[in-house]
Amino acid sequence: MTRLLTCIVIMLLTVIIPARADEPKLSLKGNVYEATFGAGLINAKVYLLDSLGVAIDSTKTGRTSTNVNGQWKRQPDFELKVPRTPAHYTIEVNYKGFEPGFQSVTIGKLGSRETERGLPDITLRREAKKLDEVTVTATKVKFYNSGDTLVYNADAFMLAEGSMLDALIQQLPGVELKDDGRIFVNGKYVESLLLNGRQFMDNNNRLLLDNLGAYTVKDIAVYDKLSDRSLFLGQDKDNGETRYVMDVRMKKEFMGSYIANVEAGYGSADRYLGRFFLSRSDTRTQYVLFGNINNLNDRRRPGQSSNWTPEDLESGLRREKTIGGQYEVTQSGSNPWKFNGNFSLNHTSQDDETFTDRTNFLPGGNTYNYTFNNLRNRNLNFNTFHSTHKQTRRIFFSAKVSGRINRSDYRQSVVSGTFADRQESVTRQWLADIYATGSEATLSSIINRSIQTDSMRNNLWSVNGDASITYKFSQNPDNMYIWVKGGYTGQTPDRYNDQRINFGSSPAAERTMQIFRNHPAHEYYIKPIFSYCYNFSDNGNIQPEYTFTYTHRRNDSRLFNPEDPAADMTFDAPMSLDQANSYYQLDKTLTHTVGFRSSQVFRGDGHFWRIMLGPTLGFNTQHLDYTQAGQAIRKTRHSMQFTDSWTEVKYGFGAYSNRWGGKDYRNMLILKFESQAQMPDMRYLVDIPNTSDPLTILLGAPSLKNQHDLQWNLRYELTPQNGRIMEAARIYYRLLTNALVRGYSYDTRTGVRTIRSYNTSGNWETGAMNSFMLPLDKARKLTLAATSEVKYGHATDVIGTDDVAPAPFTVRNLVGSQRLRLTWGAAEWLNLTGKANLQLRHTSSERPDFSNIDAFDANYGVVATVKFTKNFSLSTDMTLFTRNGYDTPVMNNSDWVWNARLAYTFDRGRWTLMLDGFDLLRQLNSVQYAVNAQGRTVRYVNTLPRFFLFHAQYKINIMPKKRK
């Protein structure tokens, strides 16, 4: 520990020592805005007048550029330098078409480290003059670089008529869209999806992806976005707080107008769809209202180049209803403020019928489990979020509050059996009647059979909030902030379970009927943060920080058994308390963290360095009050570790001048180290067995240690000035020490698992990735996007049997993959995309009975959009999915999947009629496959992979009436 602290001090000194500079003059910095709408004025002439009104210096606004909403914009700022002596000055600002503006400045007492002084904003009133109209002509370039911002031109991509935003994003070279809405650009995770620079629905990406029409989008920008607080502090992308974002920017004709699109459809197998989206957005406000109702349970869209595979086919019959809205109101100027919020109400109803065939890989021989599950799930969810911030010259205030209410109700009926040998032609009825109709060989192979009815209902509510205040000092460049966070969650889960279990060949079943009342259950926390930022130069700072976190969690879990085992079981039936498996748990965790963040930028001729440090040392005290089976246990656990610590070194080289007079860099190298710690759940430290589930016994492990997660990442980014190519490469190494895993011992005679937590070693993974986009022709109609990746890792688990004590074993995974996409915009009426996704996997283990896996998965296909006439088009995709190398014949197969959409537009594009067909070759089946170190699973689901859907879309754009 001493060596580590010494290294940190040495690194900090190397950052601070060379950073001091002479401070001979005082910098006067200000901004110039248009008075009516608060727009910044660039290239305004700024004069510095002495006390006699004589101009002694001059400059122009637009001194710096900032990446705002994906566009490098010159700021309306200026800087004038004056002697550090008492004096009186006047600043005069002139701009064509505006009346002159003036600002008085008096230099009095200065702080010893005061190197600059911020001036009040200067606003100019517009002269009464008609402005000339400017016409901008866009090109069909698919992507280009604007500084360090990657911009995709939406009009350069041909999409199926009626497409939503998700269809556009899936076409973007180098972009990967996951089913859950996560987005990756050249392998880098996008933290936020924005609409016109504004956060949408508290980062629920799927709501925007599924509801915003692609026809409204002008372009999509990907960049590092500065926080509002960093903009207030005048920080830039090199030393400010940033998020990696994808900003969807709407076309000019939709800004300031009301847009609406409505869609409805009906198809085979009673499939239906209904959707509406209403929006109004301008520079100051944004209002959105949307709704959706459907039972499609399918995210496929005909004619889209997505990464969908048959394994992604959704299970069950799902009906969903959603309504939501968002608002944002902003005020610019000298004291800007912003107020925004959103809400969503969602109801889902899901009915699943699944059959799972699982092979368990165990020391001494595999076992085979067959499970039939009928599930009915109902879920009602309400979410809301609201935030505001307000700033003055010295103060930035921000506050947020969010709330959630959830009501869920699920019921399931399960029939399962575990055997020592593989069984053929297994059905639900055969398994239910096995003790009456099973053969002698079958009964000699059976380990257990379970028939279970389970239901649960739960009400959950939560509220979270935070508030922060940042203060800029007047006589030095420092700032400080206080941030307080807190939240509360409560729930009332009730569960009913009726289970009959047979062991071996005995027809006599053991019946357990239970009611779980896991409440009161609540949790709350409070987390104040105190920080002071010391700016030791224009390019460097150090920010010590202290955080105090208190978490309080209580859970009463009471298990009741019926007083009359022969009676029908209900939530209101007479019951008696099961003392052995009921428990009371109270967790209290107190954490003090101390640390600092430091940033230093070194700029040279054609290159720059940025060094950032963020070590954080946590002191934790965990306290547990626990009562079960008549035993009262009190535990207190102390620990100390570096957590949420990081170090980043960034090197940019190959500088070139951008059009704003600043510098951008063709090449960027980023080396980052991160360290995180995870404390075990205190419940897992209690060594009192829980036998509420006869087939799963839970044990504690009093000696568990904290898990540490260490990651090293080296990333290279190429963004040349001409924007013809984009390339990113990454290598990484991740090490888990004392990894927390849930291992088990398996009783081969009864099929009972005894589970407990373990700390394991030997868990690590390393890998490399390269991604690039390249136009292959001068006209940029032919574009190649490719991603290559290889990774190798060791994963350690703990498994034992009745003959072999639980022991760690390591599974080695080597995976190589290649994704290719070649897009050809052949003509205005034709767009073709060829795609190929390949993956090779080798899985092995030192266990003598482990079956190595050498598998090859691939899919190849073509996507086409054809406009036969101005109003009539076809969008289609055809893909061959193949699997090879698996030891089960059912998993080695090839499926052709063909989807298509015919679309017809009329009434000047307002109406679009669409006919979709899915799986036209009828080769998809309702089977899902999964293989890992613990077992192999084949899952059959009640889904409908093929259907037709006819739907109509109406869109309208209403411009508000101009004021006279």
Side-chain angles (χ1 to χ4, degrees):
M1 179 65 70
T2 302
R3 289 183 178 180
L4 183 57
L5 291 174
T6 302
C7 290
I8 292 174
V9 172
I10 293 174
M11 293 174 67
L12 181 59
L13 290 176
T14 62
V15 170
I16 296 177
I17 289 175
R20 302 300 300 177
D22 294 334
E23 301 171 336
K25 290 192 175 184
L26 177 70
S27 294
L28 302 179
K29 295 182 178 181
N31 296 275
V32 180
Y33 294 97
E34 185 265 348
T36 305
F37 298 103
L41 299 179
I42 310 300
N43 289 325
K45 194 68 175 178
V46 182
Y47 297 95
L48 179 67
L49 311 180
D50 63 13
S51 58
L52 300 177
V54 178
I56 58 176
D57 196 2
S58 67
T59 186
K60 288 185 178 182
T61 57
R63 184 180 64 90
T64 62
S65 299
T66 302
N67 195 329
V68 179
N69 300 338
Q71 292 180 327
W72 277 96
K73 293 185 177 181
R74 293 177 66 181
Q75 297 302 298
D77 61 341
F78 63 87
E79 179 181 14
L80 296 165
K81 292 190 176 182
V82 299
R84 293 173 55 84
T85 56
H88 177 77
Y89 302 97
T90 300
I91 294 176
E92 179 182 346
V93 181
N94 293 287
Y95 193 78
K96 184 179 179 180
F98 289 79
E99 298 175 358
F102 299 90
Q103 175 73 55
S104 296
V105 180
T106 299
I107 306 300
K109 182 179 179 182
L110 297 176
S112 60
R113 292 191 302 109
E114 187 177 2
T115 60
E116 66 179 58
R117 177 165 294 186
L119 303 177
D121 293 337
I122 300 174
T123 58
L124 305 185
R125 296 188 177 277
R126 189 183 299 271
E127 294 177 349
K129 182 184 291 186
K130 184 177 181 180
L131 297 178
D132 296 332
E133 185 176 340
V134 178
T135 301
V136 178
T137 303
T139 66
K140 290 293 185 179
V141 175
K142 289 188 174 181
F143 66 90
Y144 60 92
N145 300 315
S146 177
D148 61 353
T149 298
L150 172 61
V151 182
Y152 294 97
N153 178 18
D155 288 337
F157 297 89
M158 184 180 292
L159 304 174
E161 292 291 344
S163 292
M164 295 293 109
L165 176 62
D166 62 341
L168 174 58
I169 289 180
Q170 285 174 341
Q171 297 280 0
L172 305 181
V175 176
E176 182 180 6
L177 174 60
K178 302 290 188 180
D179 280 345
D180 59 4
R182 288 177 299 136
I183 302 172
F184 295 83
V185 178
N186 293 322
K188 187 175 180 181
Y189 174 62
V190 173
E191 299 174 77
S192 295
L193 180 65
L194 310 180
L195 178 61
N196 295 323
R198 299 178 171 110
Q199 184 171 301
F200 188 83
M201 294 304 295
D202 199 22
N203 287 331
N204 188 336
N205 290 356
R206 283 257 57 114
L207 290 177
L208 187 60
L209 292 167
D210 294 341
N211 291 285
L212 181 66
Y215 70 93
T216 65
V217 180
K218 171 194 172 188
D219 58 32
I220 295 177
V222 182
Y223 57 94
D224 288 310
K225 180 180 174 64
L226 279 167
S227 68
D228 292 328
R229 179 175 173 272
S230 290
L231 293 173
F232 162 73
L233 293 173
Q235 296 171 330
D236 58 26
K237 62 186 178 65
D238 291 329
N239 58 20
E241 303 164 350
T242 64
R243 290 176 299 149
Y244 191 57
V245 303
M246 175 178 283
D247 188 3
V248 179
R249 302 187 296 210
M250 299 174 68
K251 294 177 180 176
K252 184 178 180 181
E253 58 264 34
F254 299 114
M255 296 296 292
S257 64
Y258 298 90
I259 64 170
N261 64 77
V262 182
E263 186 174 357
Y266 188 79
S268 59
D270 292 327
R271 295 293 176 111
Y272 60 83
L273 163 69
R275 183 188 57 78
F276 73 88
F277 184 87
L278 309 174
S279 173
R280 185 187 185 279
S281 182
D282 57 31
T283 57
R284 290 189 174 186
T285 63
Q286 177 175 277
Y287 303 100
V288 176
L289 184 66
F290 61 89
N292 198 318
I293 178 171
N294 71 83
N295 67 345
L296 301 181
N297 198 22
D298 198 331
R299 297 201 180 278
R300 291 178 295 168
R301 304 288 189 272
Q304 288 190 12
S305 179
S306 68
N307 294 319
W308 184 91
T309 66
E311 287 78 11
D312 298 324
L313 198 63
E314 300 285 350
S315 65
L317 303 177
R318 180 184 177 91
R319 296 168 292 278
E320 184 170 5
K321 305 172 186 176
T322 302
I323 189 171
Q326 172 169 306
Y327 67 91
E328 179 169 310
V329 182
T330 61
Q331 175 65 54
S332 58
S334 57
N335 294 308
W337 53 265
K338 178 169 69 175
F339 192 68
N340 61 20
N342 62 67
F343 78 94
S344 65
L345 178 65
N346 173 266
H347 180 268
T348 59
S349 175
Q350 180 121 4
D351 293 283
D352 279 357
E353 295 178 9
T354 61
F355 167 53
T356 304
D357 178 349
R358 177 174 173 82
T359 301
N360 302 301
F361 300 152
L362 296 170
N366 298 337
T367 62
Y368 306 88
N369 179 264
Y370 307 93
T371 302
F372 294 87
N373 186 1
N374 293 347
L375 172 66
R376 174 187 176 275
N377 190 18
R378 307 292 182 263
N379 193 289
L380 180 65
N381 198 47
F382 175 77
N383 286 282
T384 187
F385 170 86
H386 304 272
S387 71
T388 184
H389 78 239
K390 167 75 174 177
Q391 74 179 64
T392 63
R393 287 185 59 196
R394 299 291 177 193
I395 297 175
F396 180 90
F397 173 77
S398 174
K400 303 174 185 176
V401 63
S402 63
R404 180 190 177 199
I405 300 174
N406 176 268
R407 180 180 179 87
S408 60
D409 185 352
Y410 88 83
R411 301 174 186 178
Q412 64 177 350
S413 173
V414 183
V415 179
S416 65
T418 304
F419 297 81
D421 303 299
R422 175 166 291 281
Q423 305 296 307
E424 303 296 337
S425 303
V426 179
T427 66
R428 184 185 183 102
Q429 193 62 45
W430 175 85
L431 198 55
D433 298 337
I434 192 169
Y435 288 100
T437 61
S439 66
E440 182 177 346
T442 299
L443 293 177
S444 65
S445 176
I446 194 169
I447 298 174
N448 65 54
R449 195 279 311 270
S450 169
I451 299 177
Q452 180 180 2
T453 301
D454 198 18
S455 64
M456 180 176 178
R457 61 190 183 191
N458 184 33
N459 294 313
L460 179 147
W461 57 97
S462 67
V463 61
N464 292 275
D466 66 73
S468 68
I469 187 168
T470 301
Y471 178 75
K472 286 195 300 186
F473 292 94
S474 60
Q475 295 189 346
N476 62 59
D478 300 347
N479 67 83
M480 64 175 294
Y481 82 92
I482 300 174
W483 186 14
V484 180
K485 304 170 66 176
Y488 174 85
T489 300
Q491 55 182 323
T492 59
D494 286 328
R495 180 187 170 203
Y496 156 66
N497 180 266
D498 185 353
Q499 189 172 18
R500 295 173 174 85
I501 303 175
N502 298 79
F503 293 100
S505 59
S506 172
E510 298 182 9
R511 185 180 186 187
T512 60
M513 292 190 297
Q514 303 164 321
I515 286 183
F516 298 84
R517 297 196 181 278
N518 295 319
H519 56 84
H522 63 248
E523 176 180 352
Y524 64 86
Y525 76 96
I526 185 169
K527 183 178 181 179
I529 302 172
F530 306 92
S531 178
Y532 185 94
C533 183
Y534 175 83
N535 290 278
F536 48 77
S537 75
D538 289 341
N539 295 315
N541 61 70
I542 183 170
Q543 184 172 322
E545 187 172 276
Y546 167 75
T547 303
F548 165 84
T549 306
Y550 175 73
T551 303
H552 180 107
R553 183 177 62 176
R554 175 185 173 181
N555 185 23
D556 286 5
S557 179
R558 293 167 294 165
L559 172 59
F560 295 90
N561 298 315
E563 295 180 357
D564 182 7
D568 292 334
M569 192 69 168
T570 65
F571 280 113
D572 300 321
M575 298 168 292
S576 59
L577 183 66
D578 183 346
Q579 294 279 1
N581 292 300
S582 298
Y583 64 87
Y584 164 82
Q585 177 180 352
L586 176 62
D587 287 335
K588 298 178 182 179
T589 302
L590 180 62
T591 301
H592 300 271
T593 60
V594 291
F596 68 85
R597 287 181 289 170
S598 181
S599 173
Q600 174 67 58
V601 179
F602 303 91
R603 302 187 187 276
D605 185 15
H607 67 274
F608 88 99
W609 288 88
R610 182 186 71 177
I611 301 176
M612 299 183 70
L613 305 176
T616 302
L617 185 62
F619 303 87
N620 309 295
T621 300
Q622 296 172 275
H623 181 76
L624 173 68
D625 286 332
Y626 189 87
T627 302
Q628 181 182 341
Q631 300 184 54
I633 297 176
R634 295 173 62 90
K635 280 182 174 289
T636 300
R637 186 174 181 270
H638 301 280
S639 62
M640 180 182 69
Q641 69 276 321
F642 282 96
T643 180
D644 295 327
S645 300
W646 50 270
T647 298
E648 181 179 282
V649 179
K650 190 173 185 179
Y651 176 58
F653 58 99
Y656 61 89
S657 298
N658 58 36
R659 56 180 175 175
W660 302 280
K663 289 187 179 295
D664 289 320
Y665 300 88
R666 299 179 182 87
N667 306 278
M668 196 72 68
L669 276 173
I670 305 169
L671 175 63
K672 188 172 185 178
F673 168 74
E674 296 177 275
S675 172
Q676 294 182 335
Q678 178 183 340
M679 296 178 290
D681 190 320
M682 291 289 284
R683 168 70 181 86
Y684 294 156
L685 304 179
V686 178
D687 198 13
I688 301 177
N690 187 309
T691 60
S692 58
D693 183 348
L695 294 178
T696 304
I697 298 174
L698 304 177
L699 300 179
S703 59
L704 285 178
K705 302 176 183 178
N706 291 351
Q707 171 183 289
H708 295 273
D709 186 351
L710 309 176
Q711 297 185 52
W712 291 263
N713 281 274
L714 177 62
R715 183 177 175 88
Y716 168 76
E717 298 175 356
L718 172 64
T719 54
Q721 185 175 3
N722 59 19
R724 288 189 59 85
I725 184 173
M726 283 286 295
E727 184 171 11
R730 170 179 175 252
I731 58 175
Y732 70 93
Y733 177 74
R734 182 184 183 188
L735 174 65
L736 289 177
T737 62
N738 294 323
L740 292 167
V741 300
R742 295 287 277 171
Y744 66 89
S745 178
Y746 187 82
D747 189 333
T748 59
R749 293 176 293 272
T750 63
V752 175
R753 281 182 168 84
T754 301
I755 300 176
R756 74 188 332 154
S757 293
Y758 297 87
N759 288 116
T760 63
S761 58
N763 294 273
W764 58 269
E765 182 178 87
T766 186
M769 184 274 294
N770 183 74
S771 177
F772 71 87
M773 299 176 290
L774 175 66
L776 300 181
D777 63 329
K778 187 175 181 179
R780 301 192 182 190
K781 291 185 176 182
L782 190 63
T783 304
L784 175 66
T787 301
S788 307
E789 187 173 6
V790 61
K791 55 185 178 181
Y792 178 67
H794 282 207
T796 302
D797 211 334
V798 178
I799 294 180
T801 63
D802 43 5
D803 298 324
V804 180
F809 71 92
T810 300
V811 174
R812 295 177 289 271
N813 285 287
L814 175 62
V815 179
S817 64
Q818 177 70 59
R819 295 194 299 272
L820 297 170
R821 187 163 66 188
L822 182 64
T823 303
W824 181 35
E828 291 291 332
W829 56 271
L830 176 63
N831 189 83
L832 296 173
T833 298
K835 61 177 183 176
N837 298 296
L838 315 174
Q839 185 183 85
L840 287 167
R841 180 172 63 180
H842 172 72
T843 302
S844 61
S845 176
E846 75 277 5
R847 265 176 39 194
D849 57 340
F850 185 87
S851 299
N852 291 347
I853 300 172
D854 291 285
F856 173 67
D857 292 7
N859 64 76
Y860 323 84
V862 62
V863 181
T865 300
V866 184
K867 289 190 175 182
F868 299 109
T869 67
K870 181 180 179 181
N871 299 330
F872 184 56
S873 64
L874 168 68
S875 301
T876 184
D877 61 274
M878 181 176 286
T879 307
L880 173 64
F881 297 92
T882 65
R883 301 184 191 88
N884 292 285
Y886 295 97
D887 58 358
T888 301
V890 70
M891 298 183 69
N892 298 311
N893 58 9
S894 298
D895 297 322
W896 280 100
V897 179
W898 179 27
N899 307 311
R901 168 181 291 180
L902 290 171
Y904 178 74
T905 63
F906 60 97
D907 191 15
R908 292 178 295 176
R910 293 179 180 176
W911 283 96
T912 303
L913 305 180
M914 293 162 282
L915 178 62
D916 295 349
F918 297 90
D919 190 23
L920 298 175
L921 300 179
R922 304 178 65 85
Q923 290 199 13
L924 272 180
N925 52 47
S926 306
V927 183
Q928 299 174 349
Y929 312 95
V931 179
N932 56 34
Q934 286 74 42
R936 177 181 59 245
T937 302
V938 183
R939 189 165 177 254
Y940 301 83
V941 299
N942 65 321
T943 191
L944 184 65
R946 62 190 63 89
F947 62 93
F948 289 93
L949 180 70
F950 174 78
H951 47 128
Q953 184 183 98
Y954 178 75
K955 49 183 178 283
I956 189 172
N957 180 29
I958 303 175
M959 295 294 296
K961 293 182 179 180
K962 295 183 179 180
R963 296 179 180 177
K964 295 182 179 180

